[in-house]
Amino acid sequence: TQHDVIAFTTAVAEKVGPSARWMHFGMTSSDVIDTAQALQMREACDLILADLAGLADAIRGRALEHKRTPMIGRTHGVHAEPMTLGLKLALWYAEVERDIERIRRARQVIAVGKLSGAVGTFAHLPPSIEADVCGRLGLEPAPVASQVVQRDRHAELLCALAITAASLEKFALEIRGLQKTEIGELEEPFAKGQKGSSAMPHKRNPIGCEQVVGLARLIRGNAHAAIENIALWHERDISHSSVERVILPDSFIALDHVLRRFTRIVKGMVVYPDRMRENLERSRGVVFSGTVLLELARRGVSREGAYAMVQRNAMRSFEQHLDFKALLLADAEITQVLPAADIEKAFDLDEQFRYVDAVFDRVFQPVQART
């Protein structure tokens, strides 16, 4: 028949007999396919949401564990100011929460069915039958349709999946960066008996995170294909069908896999606090320059003047490999305004992290309230 639905109805009719004339009565193939596919997508979203909840719990646990573990924050890949590993993980957690909300919204958008016939006019079945069938299935009837449920819905879902995958890619890329030998602050788990390289026995490569990054690209490409599926000739052709048979199952399966894998990575992630502290101190204290700048401004020095005073010492620290705080304490122009005790305080990590608890309350208390 070269037609899957006709092949199915014909095969069933051969067994049913005369009553088969009522099977598929007044319906078009997409009434069956799109409505059934909505059920599959809705259930698949539930599996993804369960995965995301597990990942969120894992990230939350590690964030609380390392709430005050100091590390250097980086901007443009360069040392910026001190932060904590817990704050980095809280950032991830908040993004996963947004991913959960995106998937929930997309789940609602695609949970629609239609039995409105070949061009959506209900020429052969009344809307009441569509409403009854969709009600039994827990779907909303599409308010209006052509022969198909409109593919902007499916594109929204695939974009939500792709954004979720991109979040995982972002987190995995950060672990990969911090696992570099020169940095060595984090490491994905490396199992007993695992091999990193066929040639170099010493290697412990971040292959799990690399897989997450790679599959995120695939899911992102599938989202592009879903967007291409929105425009159909006269709102109906079959060019989207072959695409969806690949991108829908593949995207859900790939995202389910990377969510499970990355959750295991987070749970088993190895943290090296001593190396974090070593890297933080590697730049000889210049990462506290912003605090010193503001303290000078607070005492009446113009911002431009304060910037020049601090920067000249920071550049000297860089070029001559000297301790930044010692340079500040030896700079008469600075100590005339900023006493030594206040310079010392500007280098206090407890001062830098005094609002970490407040950030954690904003990120995690709403979840505690929900549970």
Side-chain angles (χ1 to χ4, degrees):
T1 64
Q2 297 286 311
H3 194 292
D4 52 358
V5 176
I6 294 175
F8 170 73
T9 57
T10 301
V12 174
E14 291 173 354
K15 303 295 183 182
V16 172
S19 296
R21 69 186 187 277
W22 299 110
M23 189 172 69
H24 205 63
F25 186 89
M27 295 171 65
T28 189
S29 298
S30 292
D31 288 335
V32 177
I33 294 170
D34 282 4
T35 303
Q37 188 165 263
L39 295 174
Q40 292 176 303
M41 291 187 293
R42 185 181 65 184
E43 292 180 14
C45 283
D46 290 338
L47 295 175
I48 296 298
L49 287 167
D51 291 340
L52 280 166
L55 175 59
D57 286 343
I59 294 174
R60 180 175 181 271
R62 299 309 301 268
L64 294 172
E65 177 187 352
H66 292 285
K67 184 177 183 179
R68 300 189 72 83
T69 300
M71 65 183 298
I72 187 61
R74 296 171 174 89
T75 59
H76 306 271
V78 177
H79 284 201
E81 291 187 345
M83 62 178 296
T84 74
L85 176 58
L87 282 174
K88 183 182 293 291
L89 293 170
L91 187 82
W92 295 5
Y93 179 90
E95 186 161 342
V96 170
E97 285 287 295
R98 293 193 296 276
D99 289 326
I100 289 171
E101 288 304 312
R102 275 186 279 267
I103 299 294
R104 283 176 177 164
R105 289 195 299 267
R107 179 190 184 278
Q108 184 176 359
V109 167
I110 54 87
V112 299
K114 57 107 32 190
L115 275 77
S116 53
V119 291
T121 58
F122 294 99
H124 309 294
L125 292 175
S128 59
I129 291 180
E130 179 188 73
D132 181 61
V133 170
C134 287
R136 294 186 190 201
L137 296 175
L139 301 173
E140 288 292 323
V144 59
S146 59
Q147 192 176 74
V148 297
V149 170
Q150 301 307 289
R151 260 46 194 179
D152 64 288
R153 296 177 181 272
H154 303 66
E156 182 172 344
L157 170 62
L158 265 292
C159 286
L161 299 183
I163 292 171
T164 301
S167 294
L168 299 178
E169 178 184 20
K170 166 185 170 180
F171 309 153
L173 192 64
E174 182 66 2
I175 293 175
R176 286 173 59 194
L178 295 177
Q179 188 168 332
K180 289 179 180 179
T181 305
E182 304 92 296
I183 297 176
E185 296 179 357
L186 293 179
E187 189 175 39
E188 71 172 54
F190 192 84
K192 184 178 181 180
Q194 183 176 336
K195 305 292 191 294
S197 165
S198 63
M200 297 168 284
H202 72 279
K203 295 280 280 180
R204 293 198 305 218
N205 300 326
I207 58 169
C209 288
E210 288 170 349
Q211 186 183 83
V212 171
V213 170
L215 287 176
R217 298 170 186 165
L218 178 69
I219 297 169
R220 198 154 51 240
N222 289 349
H224 178 79
I227 292 171
E228 294 289 331
N229 277 349
I230 294 174
L232 305 174
W233 281 13
H234 305 294
E235 287 85 47
R236 169 56 177 157
D237 60 46
I238 203 170
S239 61
H240 66 284
S241 176
S242 57
V243 180
E244 287 178 356
R245 291 169 197 245
V246 175
I247 65 173
L248 288 175
D250 278 12
S251 295
F252 276 110
I253 290 168
L255 184 56
D256 173 73
H257 172 71
V258 295
L259 279 165
R260 289 168 180 266
R261 179 144 202 192
F262 192 69
T263 299
R264 293 195 298 270
I265 289 171
V266 169
K267 288 180 177 179
M269 182 174 65
V270 183
V271 179
Y272 296 102
D274 291 343
R275 188 57 182 265
M276 289 180 172
R277 175 74 72 157
E278 178 186 340
N279 286 339
L280 194 158
E281 296 172 352
R282 190 179 186 88
S283 50
R284 293 173 290 276
V286 295
V287 296
F288 296 94
S289 68
T291 304
V292 178
L293 164 70
L294 295 178
E295 288 303 317
L296 289 169
R298 189 176 281 119
R299 285 160 175 78
V301 180
S302 71
R303 183 176 181 86
E304 292 75 15
Y307 197 103
M309 293 159 66
V310 175
Q311 188 183 45
R312 70 168 179 252
N313 286 285
M315 294 305 104
R316 189 180 171 199
S317 175
F318 275 131
E319 293 161 6
Q320 299 179 23
H321 306 290
L322 299 172
D323 182 73
F324 180 58
K325 183 166 65 174
L327 290 173
L328 295 176
L329 291 169
D331 189 321
E333 188 179 10
I334 290 178
T335 55
Q336 189 175 16
V337 180
L338 199 60
D342 290 328
I343 292 176
E344 292 285 348
K345 186 178 179 181
F347 287 75
D348 186 349
L349 284 177
D350 287 335
E351 280 293 309
Q352 297 285 320
F353 301 154
R354 64 189 182 279
Y355 293 120
V356 168
D357 287 342
V359 175
F360 266 61
D361 287 344
R362 292 198 303 191
V363 172
F364 295 112
Q365 275 193 350
V367 180
Q368 295 169 352
R370 285 204 302 271
T371 57

